[in-house]
Amino acid sequence: MLTLAEKIIFIVLVIVSLIISYKTFSRMFKIINRGKDPIPWKETLKNFPKGLKIFLTQQTLFTTRPVIGFIHALVAWGFTIYVLVNSFDVIAAYVPGFAFFPNSVIGFIYRLFVDIFSVLVFLGVFYFLIRRFIFNEEKLIIKPPVHVTDDVKKGVRRDSLIVGLFIMIHVGARFVGASFAVAHNGGDAAQPLAAIFSSLWQGLSPEQLVLGEHISWWIALGAILAFVPYFPLSKHAHLFMAPFNYMVPDDRPNKGTIKPLNFEDESIEQFGVGNMEHLPQKSLLDAYSCIMCNRCQDNCPAYQTGKELSPSAIEINKRYYFNSHGQEFIDGAEVPLKGLLLTDNALWACTSCNFCVYACPVGNEPLVDILHMRQDKVMMESDFPSELITTFKNLETNFNPWAFNSQDRKNWAEGLDIKTMNEDPNGEILFWVGCAGSFDQRYQKVSQAFAKIMQKAGINFRILGNEEKCNGDTARRLGNEYLAQTLMMENIEMLNKYGVKEIVTACPHCFNSLKNEYPKLGGEFKILHHSEFIDKLIQENKISLKNDENSHKITYHDSCYLGRYNSIYDQPRASIKAIDGLELVEMDRSLNNGFCCGAGGGRMFMEETEGERINEVRTKEAIETGADTIASACPFCMTMLSDGVKTLEKNEEVEVKDIAEIILEHIQ
C-alpha cells in the first residue's frame, strides 16, 4: 500500500521511536533499581505465564467496580488485539496484496471482530474521558485534606487526556482507514460498522479514497510511534509494569505484611524507610504499575472519614516525583519522604485494614510503604504520636499495651478450673488468650465463654497464664519492629519449651501474627481462630445448639485481620446460621468489602481527632440493618463497635456480642 518513499520514511521513524523509547524505558528501570531489596529479575521472568494470564484475562479488574472494570478490560483487550492488528497493517503496507486469510472464515471472523471491537474500545475510552472531565466523578478525585504534590495537581488530568486522546486517535484513524478501504473495494460484509461509516465517502474518486486510506494509516501508526517513548511517563505504563508486580516472587503468606528486619546484621544503618531510595524496588515498581483508578481509597476507612490519608496519593505522588525529578534520583539524590508522599497525620491514620492491597487491580501495596515509614519514624527518629510512648513502655515492662500487671494475666480464669502449661503441659491444644482477652473487662467474658464451650465439648486445653506475652502485632504495625521481634522471640521460646503444636485464639491480631509472622522467626505452629474452632465443634457434633426462641436478628462484622488477611468469612457465619431462629442480615459492606472498625494498625491506642470517627460510621451501618445484635470475632472490633453503640445512644436497643457468647447462650 505504501510508496517506496513512505516505506523508507516509516522505517526511519520506527528507528527514531525505538531509540527514544529505549532511553525512556531505561530511565524507568534505573529509577526502580535505585531502591533497596533488589527484585530478582531472573526468578521474576520465570513467572511470566502468571503475568501473562493476568494481563490477558484482566481478572484483577473485577475485584471491585465490576462494571467499570469490564469497560476498562475492553480497553486493555483492545490494546492487546491492536498489537496484532497493527502488525498485520504494517505487513499489508509493505507487502502488496497481503491480507489476513482472505476469502476464508478465519479472515471474515477477524475483520468482523476488529470492526466491532474498534468501536467498543473507542466508545469505552470516550466514556472514561467524559467520566473524568465532564462528570468529574468523585471516585477519580483525591479530595482534601489529602496531600498531593503540585506535579500531581497539574499532571493527572493532563496525562489522562493525552492517553485518552491517543487511544481514540489511533483506534479512530484505523477504523476510518478501514472505511476508506471498504468504500474503495465496494463493500465488505465482514466490516458492517466500517461499511456504514463508508457512506460518508460517497462521491469521492478512487484516488481520493486511496489518499484517505494512506492518511488514516499514517495517523494510526504515527500515533503509536509518537506515544511509545512517552509510555513510561504516562499512566499507561501500567499495561507493561503491572504484570511484573504479580510476577515478582513473594514468599509471604499474605499481602500487606512486611518482612522482619535483621537486627543481627551490623552493616545495616537504616531501619525502615525515611527516604525514597530506602524503599524496596518492589515499592518503586508500584509507582509505575499504578493505574490511578483510586479503587484503593473506595473503602479506605481513613480516607472515607475525612482523614489526610489516601493510599492512591502515595503511589501517584511517588510517580510524579519520578516524572519530574527522575534523573536527579538516578544520579544519587537523597530524597526525604516527609511531606512528599504523605503527611505525618496521614502516616498515623492508617488502620492497616488491607483494603487498599485487596482492591488494587495491579498488585500495589501502599500499606507496606506506610509500615516501612513508621519503622523509620519510631526506630530512627523517635518521632511518633505522644500517646504511643505509654503504649510502648507498657509493652516493654508489662508485656501488654495497657498498664496491667503481667502477673494478673490469668485472673480472668478464676473459678473455671483451667490448667496452665506450667501446671500440666499435656493438653491437646493451647488457648492463646491475648492481652484483651486477659485484661479487658468486656473481653474477659469472651475468654470465659470460649473456655466454657471447649469444656462442654470435652476439649483438653491449656493456657500459658502469666507466661503469655503480647503477640507483637501492635508494636510491629506501629513501627517498633525491635520491640515486636523481642516479644515474638520470647513467646516462641516459651511455646517451644512446652512443645506446643496447636494453638487456638479469639483475637484475629494474635491469630494473624502467630500463623503468618511467627514462622519467619522460627515459630511453626498450627493456628486456629476461635470462630474456626467453634464451627469445627458444631460440624463434628461435639456441641449441640438449641433454637433461638426470641427470633433475634444478627449482623456480623468482618474483622480485617480475620477476613482480608486470612480469608475467614464463612465459619463465623456458619456458626450463627447453625442456630435455628436467628436471622443473619448482612451490612452493605461485608466480606471482602467489609469496612474497618478503626482499631487496627495500632489505632486502638491513638486518639482520633480528624474527620468522622471510623467506629461510628461502621456502627451506623450495622444499626441500619435493623439487627438487634452486632456479632464480632475480635476484641478490638468489639470495643470499637460497643463504643459506637453507646455514642449513638442505641445501647438499649442493640447489643454487641462475640461469636463465642452467642454460641454459649444456645448450647444445649
Side-chain angles (χ1 to χ4, degrees):
M1 183 185 85
L2 296 182
T3 64
L4 178 60
E6 285 179 307
K7 291 177 181 178
I8 295 172
I9 292 171
F10 184 73
I11 291 173
V12 171
L13 291 177
V14 168
I15 293 172
V16 171
S17 179
L18 289 176
I19 291 173
I20 300 174
S21 298
Y22 175 79
K23 292 182 178 180
T24 56
F25 276 86
S26 295
R27 175 182 182 272
M28 177 172 62
F29 281 100
K30 287 177 182 177
I31 288 171
I32 293 171
N33 288 337
R34 177 89 197 280
K36 303 295 183 183
D37 298 333
I39 293 172
W41 287 108
K42 287 185 178 179
E43 287 75 12
T44 297
L45 293 176
K46 290 178 182 178
N47 291 328
F48 178 76
K50 179 181 180 181
L52 182 63
K53 176 186 175 183
I54 289 173
F55 178 77
L56 293 178
T57 63
Q58 295 292 308
Q59 64 194 56
T60 55
L61 281 172
F62 303 102
T63 302
T64 62
R65 303 187 195 170
V67 175
I68 297 298
F70 177 71
I71 298 174
H72 198 131
L74 285 176
V75 176
W77 290 328
F79 173 86
T80 308
I81 291 166
Y82 260 78
V83 171
L84 182 65
V85 171
N86 291 324
S87 299
F88 289 148
D89 287 349
V90 171
I91 294 172
Y94 277 79
V95 180
F98 173 83
F100 182 73
F101 288 97
N103 305 317
S104 71
V105 174
I106 295 176
F108 184 92
I109 293 173
Y110 166 75
R111 296 195 306 279
L112 178 63
F113 181 79
V114 173
D115 182 66
I116 295 173
F117 204 76
S118 295
V119 174
L120 290 177
V121 170
F122 186 91
L123 293 176
V125 175
F126 181 72
Y127 164 75
F128 282 129
L129 290 177
I130 293 295
R131 183 170 170 245
R132 183 178 288 274
F133 292 98
I134 304 299
F135 296 151
N136 287 312
E137 187 167 325
E138 186 174 300
K139 288 184 177 181
L140 299 176
I141 299 171
I142 299 175
K143 297 181 293 186
V146 176
H147 166 71
V148 291
T149 64
D150 290 338
D151 288 335
V152 172
K153 293 174 183 176
K154 298 173 186 175
V156 170
R157 288 174 67 85
R158 177 197 65 211
D159 293 342
S160 296
L161 182 62
I162 290 173
V163 170
L165 290 179
F166 155 70
I167 297 174
M168 291 182 69
I169 289 171
H170 172 63
V171 174
R174 202 273 171 191
F175 178 77
V176 170
S179 72
F180 277 117
V182 169
H184 184 246
N185 296 325
D188 185 356
Q191 301 183 78
L193 299 180
I196 294 172
F197 200 79
S198 69
S199 62
L200 295 174
W201 318 131
Q202 290 180 358
L204 295 182
S205 67
E207 292 77 14
Q208 290 172 320
L209 292 174
V210 170
L211 177 62
E213 190 176 355
H214 274 243
I215 292 173
S216 299
W217 188 93
W218 274 104
I219 292 174
L221 274 297
I224 292 177
L225 297 183
F227 189 77
V228 169
Y230 176 70
F231 246 102
L233 297 174
S234 77
K235 60 181 289 183
H236 233 51
H238 71 266
L239 282 168
F240 291 114
M241 305 309 289
F244 284 118
N245 240 356
Y246 288 102
M247 290 161 56
V248 174
D250 187 359
D251 61 354
R252 295 173 301 164
N254 53 18
K255 286 185 173 290
T257 58
I258 54 176
K259 297 178 181 179
L261 296 176
N262 182 6
F263 292 105
E264 300 297 321
D265 187 348
E266 296 182 358
S267 67
I268 298 177
E269 298 180 354
Q270 170 67 38
F271 295 114
V273 170
N275 289 359
M276 187 76 80
E277 65 271 16
H278 299 157
L279 284 167
Q281 289 185 7
K282 167 63 171 63
S283 292
L284 301 185
L285 173 61
D286 284 353
Y288 286 102
S289 301
C290 182
I291 201 171
M292 302 185 194
C293 63
N294 295 349
R295 280 175 171 84
C296 53
Q297 66 185 30
D298 281 354
N299 222 21
C300 170
Y303 181 80
Q304 291 297 324
T305 55
K307 312 297 191 291
E308 295 180 32
L309 174 64
S310 162
S312 180
I314 294 174
E315 302 301 344
I316 297 175
N317 284 336
K318 199 188 299 179
R319 172 66 168 280
Y320 276 88
Y321 171 81
F322 293 148
N323 282 359
S324 300
H325 306 281
Q327 193 57 51
E328 299 170 31
F329 186 67
I330 292 170
D331 292 340
E334 295 183 358
V335 185
L337 293 180
K338 186 172 183 178
L340 178 60
L341 298 192
L342 73 172
T343 63
D344 281 351
N345 285 341
L347 179 66
W348 297 105
C350 178
T351 67
S352 70
C353 74
N354 217 22
F355 178 81
C356 58
V357 177
Y358 158 75
C360 182
V362 293
N364 284 354
E365 298 183 67
L367 170 58
V368 171
D369 289 353
I370 290 172
L371 297 178
H372 281 145
M373 291 171 70
R374 285 183 175 183
Q375 289 177 338
D376 173 78
K377 286 289 186 181
V378 172
M379 293 187 291
M380 302 300 294
E381 299 184 31
S382 294
D383 180 13
F384 47 84
S386 58
E387 54 261 50
L388 296 183
I389 296 174
T390 302
T391 302
F392 291 148
K393 182 179 179 181
N394 288 333
L395 286 169
E396 291 171 0
T397 58
N398 300 319
F399 313 119
N400 67 79
W402 300 286
F404 294 108
N405 190 318
S406 61
Q407 296 305 307
D408 295 333
R409 191 176 274 271
K410 188 195 170 187
N411 290 358
W412 68 272
E414 288 182 3
L416 293 179
D417 192 26
I418 299 174
K419 295 180 181 179
T420 66
M421 293 294 288
N422 186 48
E423 294 168 339
D424 179 5
N426 296 315
E428 59 183 282
I429 192 168
L430 172 70
F431 175 23
W432 182 279
V433 184
C435 298
S438 298
F439 297 112
D440 181 78
Q441 191 172 17
R442 175 64 184 89
Y443 216 69
Q444 284 178 337
K445 296 178 181 179
V446 176
S447 299
Q448 293 163 356
F450 182 54
K452 290 176 182 178
I453 291 172
M454 288 194 288
Q455 288 173 334
K456 288 179 179 292
I459 304 300
N460 182 22
F461 69 96
R462 300 287 184 271
I463 60 174
L464 283 173
N466 299 338
E467 292 183 292
E468 183 183 290
K469 297 179 180 179
C470 178
N471 71 85
D473 167 82
T474 295
R476 171 164 279 181
R477 265 65 196 179
L478 288 173
N480 199 335
E481 178 69 10
Y482 185 82
L483 175 57
Q485 287 194 29
T486 299
L487 292 167
M488 290 175 176
M489 292 303 297
E490 289 174 354
N491 282 326
I492 290 171
E493 183 180 356
M494 181 63 63
L495 293 169
N496 287 337
K497 182 183 80 170
Y498 287 120
V500 173
K501 302 297 182 185
E502 188 169 0
I503 300 172
V504 63
T505 179
C507 174
H509 296 264
C510 295
F511 171 76
N512 182 69
S513 190
L514 290 164
K515 179 181 179 181
N516 298 317
E517 299 181 354
Y518 273 46
K520 290 289 185 182
L521 298 174
E524 298 279 354
F525 314 102
K526 180 181 179 181
I527 312 295
L528 291 171
H529 185 258
H530 82 314
S531 62
E532 294 179 290
F533 196 81
I534 290 171
D535 180 55
K536 183 180 177 184
L537 294 178
I538 295 172
Q539 298 300 322
E540 294 176 352
N541 295 316
K542 291 186 177 180
I543 55 175
S544 299
L545 304 177
K546 59 186 178 182
N547 296 348
D548 184 80
E549 298 176 354
N550 298 312
S551 300
H552 286 294
K553 184 183 288 188
I554 293 181
T555 188
Y556 174 70
H557 165 78
D558 289 287
S559 157
C560 302
Y561 276 75
L562 199 59
R564 275 189 290 270
Y565 277 90
N566 290 287
S567 300
I568 296 177
Y569 298 107
D570 296 335
Q571 295 91 326
R573 289 172 169 81
S575 296
I576 294 172
K577 292 177 181 178
I579 303 171
D580 289 336
L582 286 184
E583 180 185 356
L584 178 64
V585 291
E586 295 286 359
M587 288 180 253
D588 289 339
R589 292 180 288 190
S590 61
L591 301 169
N592 283 327
N593 287 307
F595 194 69
C596 181
C597 74
R603 289 295 317 171
M604 180 77 175
F605 308 98
M606 289 184 274
E607 294 298 324
E608 188 173 359
T609 57
E610 291 184 311
E612 296 179 88
R613 296 187 69 85
I614 296 170
N615 68 314
E616 292 177 16
V617 171
R618 184 54 167 172
T619 304
K620 287 177 185 176
E621 192 172 352
I623 291 172
E624 286 170 0
T625 65
D628 54 56
T629 303
I630 303 173
S632 70
C634 170
F636 290 175
C637 294
M638 171 169 278
T639 297
M640 301 303 277
L641 293 169
S642 297
D643 287 349
V645 169
K646 291 176 185 176
T647 302
L648 298 172
E649 299 180 347
K650 294 290 184 179
N651 45 310
E652 296 295 326
E653 306 164 36
V654 179
E655 289 185 283
V656 180
K657 293 182 179 180
D658 187 86
I659 293 290
E661 294 176 307
I662 295 170
I663 295 301
L664 182 63
E665 289 172 358
H666 293 85
I667 284 185
Q668 290 184 343

